[in-house]
Amino acid sequence: MQQKQEFYETARAIVSFTDSYTQNKQGKQNEQPDSESISSLTDIASSLQTLSHQIWENNNALKQVIHIPKLLQSLSALVTFRLGTHIDLDVDNQRLKVRSWSRWCLYWIQFKGDAQDQSELVNNGYGRRLSITFCTAGGKGEEQDTEIWNGLMYISRFLRALHEGKTQQPSFQPLPLLARNTEEQMEEEGANEELETQMKNKGMNGIIKREANYTKAVILNRFIHKR
């Protein structure tokens, strides 16, 4: 009972924060975005970290996220939270934590979820959101090599599972329509061109370059079983 209560308190905090952020964003489209306080950013990053651990440790938490559409929408929105805007180092670092933990939440849903869960991710623009993380042209994507690598890793594993299906439980058959929809979302963000750029990125001792090549191969449906 206590675990369930903690989940809903965490969910409410995330949804409330995201509602405030999106309303502010819509009302300030032509102005400098407001800066959240360090304490509020720290609190929401902590809530997202807690939720990530809950999803990883408890399949019931995963399903609860899926069954609260506004929570899943909030996680999707926070993947690109304040991306490309800078205030100062402390604020920027906390914003990065918000984005990073949001991605981890969605990744665990991707990793542990069934076919319906994959569908919900696609419907919430998962391919589009992840593409933005490694689309660095014009300064709109992540600047840290680790986050670029994570974005590439998440999307390549997601697409491979959609193309091939998943044998581990909960298993599912190939989902080609979801794969195609995801690739269309990526294309809309210019991800194919950005992949070409990342294939020349020598960051992390060539790890980003290798991951970008692998992602490109997955999109072309040429799977490499031994990496």
Side-chain angles (χ1 to χ4, degrees), residues 36-51:
E36 296 79 11
S37 67
I38 286 288
S39 61
S40 67
L41 290 170
T42 302
D43 288 346
I44 198 63
S46 177
S47 294
L48 289 162
Q49 182 179 10
T50 297
L51 181 61

Side-chain angles (χ1 to χ4, degrees), residues 58-109:
N58 189 338
N59 285 335
N60 289 333
L62 186 157
K63 285 302 181 184
Q64 286 170 327
V65 173
I66 295 297
H67 292 153
I68 305 176
K70 200 155 189 181
L71 177 55
L72 188 58
Q73 292 166 9
S74 295
L75 293 174
S76 298
L78 293 178
V79 164
T80 54
F81 174 71
R82 302 293 193 202
L83 191 58
T85 62
H86 301 282
I87 300 296
D88 61 45
L89 187 59
D90 290 338
V91 171
D92 291 350
N93 284 338
Q94 290 302 319
R95 288 176 171 180
L96 175 59
K97 288 181 180 180
V98 170
R99 296 193 297 270
S100 184
W101 282 116
S102 299
R103 291 172 198 145
W104 273 112
C105 288
L106 295 177
Y107 175 73
W108 291 131
I109 294 172

Side-chain angles (χ1 to χ4, degrees), residues 116-201:
Q116 182 58 40
D117 300 329
Q118 313 305 315
S119 177
E120 293 295 338
L121 288 174
V122 174
N123 290 340
N124 277 274
Y126 192 50
R128 180 177 298 105
R129 296 287 183 176
L130 285 182
S131 295
I132 294 172
T133 65
F134 60 81
C135 289
T136 55
K140 71 174 183 176
E142 292 288 4
E143 298 174 3
Q144 292 80 5
D145 284 347
T146 301
E147 296 302 321
I148 294 172
W149 171 57
N150 281 340
L152 290 166
M153 182 181 67
Y154 295 161
I155 197 64
S156 64
R157 304 312 185 272
F158 184 59
L159 280 172
R160 179 166 182 169
L162 296 181
H163 278 298
E164 287 192 326
K166 191 173 75 168
T167 55
Q168 68 188 63
Q169 295 299 321
S171 62
F172 53 80
Q173 295 297 310
L175 302 167
L177 180 59
L178 292 183
R180 186 158 58 251
N181 289 345
T182 301
E183 288 162 0
E184 288 173 356
Q185 291 176 10
M186 295 175 66
E187 187 174 352
E188 289 170 3
E189 292 298 330
N192 291 337
E193 293 80 3
E194 287 291 336
L195 274 175
E196 298 292 337
T197 299
Q198 298 302 341
M199 287 164 68
K200 302 172 186 175
N201 187 335

Side-chain angles (χ1 to χ4, degrees), residues 14-29 33-34 36 70 73-82 129:
I14 293 169
V15 170
S16 176
F17 178 88
T18 310
D19 281 347
S20 177
Y21 160 60
T22 53
Q23 289 169 9
N24 178 269
K25 185 178 179 181
Q26 291 169 358
K28 302 268 186 180
Q29 285 182 346
D34 290 345
E36 296 79 11
K70 200 155 189 181
Q73 292 166 9
S74 295
L75 293 174
S76 298
L78 293 178
V79 164
T80 54
F81 174 71
R82 302 293 193 202
R129 296 287 183 176

